[in-house]
């Protein structure tokens, strides 16, 4: 399962760098693409404004049939993001959020990537793909200075084989 999660994350990071190389975050002094995985980040940087924050949910096989030798799994993913706008919340938050909506749609298409093992120095292919449904954009959330949204999607993959 970890290879599928890593492959999905790395694909979206690479695509975000192409779509908007200026959408970045600084974590521990290191500039990274503006896409974080909440389970991997410290609490203080888990969800900064102007960045995407991915949260993994339930993971389960699509079929419980024991006669199926190679079962496909489904993982729920939520991507949360929020913006203050380009002018610090003085009127363009909607435009900034629409830009982030468009970026999310762009980085999630095409809806597949090769599944790689990133636990090695050089990532190696595992012979299958990770694929997903298009994001479903949820309702707006709003505070005095920020506008945000949560998008959900399902990610599908074959589990890694035990050696």
């Amino acid at each position: 399962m970890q290879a599928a999660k890593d492959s999905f994350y790395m694909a979206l990071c690479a695509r975000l760098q192409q779509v908007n190389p200026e959408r970045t975050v600084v974590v521990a002094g290191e500039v990274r693409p503006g896409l974080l995985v909440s389970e991997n980040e410290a609490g203080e940087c888990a969800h900064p404004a102007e960045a995407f924050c991915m949260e993994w949910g339930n993971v389960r096989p699509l079929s419980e049939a024991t006669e199926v030798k190679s079962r496909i799994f489904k993982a729920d993913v939520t991507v949360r993001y929020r913006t203050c706008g380009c002018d610090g919340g003085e009127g363009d938050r909607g435009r900034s959020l629409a830009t982030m909506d468009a970026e999310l749609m762009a980085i999630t298409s095409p809806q597949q990537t090769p599944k790689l093992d990133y636990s090695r120095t050089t990532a190696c292919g595992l012979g299958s793909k990770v694929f997903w449904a298009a994001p479903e954009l949820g309702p707006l959330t709003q505070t005095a200075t920020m506008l945000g949204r949560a998008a959900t999607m399902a990610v599908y993959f074959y589990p890694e084989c035990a050696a």
Side-chain angles (χ1 to χ4, degrees):
M1 179 171 71
Q2 192 61 48
K5 291 165 69 172
D6 291 346
S7 297
F8 180 70
Y9 168 74
M10 294 298 286
L12 296 190
C13 279
R15 293 172 185 184
L16 182 58
Q17 286 180 311
Q18 292 177 341
V19 169
N20 183 356
E22 294 179 13
R23 181 139 342 259
T24 59
V25 293
V26 178
V27 177
E30 181 183 337
V31 178
R32 297 174 21 194
L35 176 66
L36 302 170
V37 179
S38 63
E39 67 191 50
N40 298 337
E41 306 300 336
E44 65 271 6
C45 68
H47 188 194
E50 314 306 329
F52 298 97
C53 182
M54 185 184 313
E55 299 170 1
W56 290 97
N58 292 334
V59 178
R60 61 206 168 280
L62 280 183
S63 170
E64 296 294 331
T66 56
E67 65 275 1
V68 178
K69 291 183 180 179
S70 176
R71 293 190 291 178
I72 192 164
F73 277 66
K74 175 184 177 184
D76 298 324
V77 177
T78 301
V79 179
R80 298 183 193 285
Y81 47 103
R82 56 193 181 159
T83 181
C84 298
C86 295
D87 60 5
E90 296 297 322
D92 74 338
R93 296 178 304 164
R95 291 179 193 275
S96 293
L97 189 66
T99 297
M100 292 184 83
D101 290 342
E103 288 174 5
L104 179 63
M105 298 311 259
I107 67 174
T108 56
S109 181
Q111 293 168 251
Q112 63 177 339
T113 192
K115 186 166 70 165
L116 304 173
D117 179 357
Y118 286 95
S119 67
R120 304 167 189 230
T121 304
T122 303
C124 68
L126 293 173
S128 66
K129 293 191 178 209
V130 177
F131 50 101
W132 52 90
E136 293 182 29
L137 303 180
L140 297 177
T141 58
Q142 187 169 349
T143 67
T145 59
M146 288 198 214
L147 199 59
R149 182 183 317 278
T152 57
M153 65 187 92
V155 175
Y156 303 92
F157 60 94
Y158 289 99
E160 293 83 25
C161 296

